[in-house]
Structures are given as C-alpha cells and as structure tokens.
C-alpha cells in the first residue's frame, strides 16, 4: 500500500511539473505580420494587431483577439494550441452565440439606449431577422439588427445620441 501511495504521489508531481513550467514561461512578444501556427505545424493565420493585452490573429476567414499568454514561440513565428479550422469554428460559434443572445434581447417594448448609455433613443416596436423598428419621438425608425448590441445594462445601438440624430437628419 505504501508503494502505491508513493507511486501515486510521484505521478501527481510529474503531472504537475509541465503545468508549473508553463506558469513560469515568459509571455512571447507578438508583432504585427508574424505567422501563427497550430499544434501540428499548420498555418493558422497572421498577427493583425497587438494592443491592450490582446493579440488579434487573422485566419483569412475571421479575426480573433487572443491573450498574449495563449502563444508560444515557434521556429518560424508563433504557435497556439488550435488549428486554423478549430479557431475558425470557435469564432463562428462565438459569433452565432452572440447573435442569438442579441436576437433574444431584441423584444418589443424593450428600451434602446445609445452606445454609451447616456440617452434612451426609443423603444422596440417590432423585430424580424434583418431589421428592428424602434419608436423614436413618436416616429418609427427601422435599423439593421447589426446596429444593435446586447450590453449588461440592456439593449443599445452602436451610435452616440449625436451620431443617431445626424443619421436621422441625413435620411429625411
């Protein structure tokens, strides 16, 4: 029994060693234009931008903001633990989930705020797959679904009040 516990403890220590080494590994410096490769050496994409603790990788189909500690150093650029297909699938799923969450929030009677939450610009009257009609100052205003976002404090449009009013003025 003692040998079994020693073996079990030794196995646990060996299993923890790579995790400890990973925690101590320095963050790789990503630069715009660097190639990004997957775990099998296949190309995933290219670093599109680096800022505010995020490295944006362009796969050619999508762009994904990843944490700098998601990268390792590869022989000819950077590496991540996902293939291009896996990363694109994860981005597609995240986008679909976000769209579904937004569509669920776009219900008649819901108040719509500006992007910064400074003003309420109207109330949703009706929604279809492409457009949302809001009532603004007693008038219906039809906007594309993509002009809306689901925020923690409610539904908002992707414009400030001034931008919204300028857009309305431009359409009259």
């Amino acid at each position: 029994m003692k040998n079994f516990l020693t073996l079990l403890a030794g196995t646990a220590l060996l299993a923890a060693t790579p995790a400890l080494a990973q925690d101590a590994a320095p963050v790789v410096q990503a630069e715009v234009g660097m190639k990004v490769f997957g775990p099998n050496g296949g190309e995933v994409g290219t670093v599109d931008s680096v800022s505010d603790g995020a490295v944006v990788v362009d796969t050619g189909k999508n762009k994904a903001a990843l944490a700098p500690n998601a990268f390792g150093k590869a022989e000819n650029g950077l590496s991540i633990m996902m293939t291009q297909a896996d990363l694109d699938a994860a981005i597609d799923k995240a986008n679909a989930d976000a769209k579904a969450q937004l569509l669920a929030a776009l219900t008649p009677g819901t108040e719509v705020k500006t992007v910064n939450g400074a003003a309420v610009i109207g109330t949703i009257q009706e929604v279809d797959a492409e457009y949302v009609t809001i009532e603004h100052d007693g008038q219906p205003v039809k906007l594309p679904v993509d002009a809306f976002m689901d925020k923690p404090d409610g539904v908002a449009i992707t414009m400030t009040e001034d931008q919204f009013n300028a857009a309305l003025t431009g359409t009259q």
Side-chain angles (χ1 to χ4, degrees):
M1 182 70 171
K2 182 178 176 187
N3 289 339
F4 175 72
L5 290 176
T6 304
L7 179 62
L8 191 59
T11 304
L13 285 173
L14 283 174
T17 303
L20 293 173
Q22 287 175 355
D23 289 341
V27 174
V28 176
Q29 290 300 112
E31 296 176 14
V32 173
M34 291 179 90
K35 296 285 186 191
V36 179
F37 298 91
N40 57 0
E43 190 171 327
V44 173
T46 305
V47 174
D48 186 66
S49 65
V50 180
S51 65
D52 298 329
V55 177
V56 176
V57 175
D58 185 345
T59 68
K61 178 183 176 190
N62 292 300
K63 290 185 180 183
L66 304 174
N69 65 357
F71 296 88
K73 184 73 177 138
E75 192 174 296
N76 44 359
L78 301 173
S79 67
I80 61 172
M81 295 306 297
M82 297 178 89
T83 65
Q84 184 180 38
D86 291 340
L87 183 57
D88 278 332
I91 296 166
D92 291 343
K93 181 178 180 338
N95 288 340
D97 290 350
K99 180 99 178 206
Q101 182 178 343
L102 173 62
L103 289 173
L106 296 174
T107 57
T110 301
E111 207 173 64
V112 179
K113 298 178 183 177
T114 56
V115 69
N116 55 10
V120 174
I121 58 122
T123 304
I124 297 175
Q125 290 182 316
E126 62 182 80
V127 180
D128 65 34
E130 294 182 49
Y131 294 99
V132 177
T133 303
I134 61 171
E135 181 182 323
H136 173 74
D137 291 340
Q139 298 295 317
V141 178
K142 194 172 187 177
L143 298 167
V145 169
D146 291 341
F148 293 83
M149 63 178 82
D150 186 25
K151 297 178 73 170
D153 62 341
V155 173
I157 58 170
T158 57
M159 296 178 259
T160 65
E161 185 176 17
D162 289 341
Q163 291 168 330
F164 178 75
N165 289 329
L168 285 181
T169 302
T171 61
Q172 295 176 348

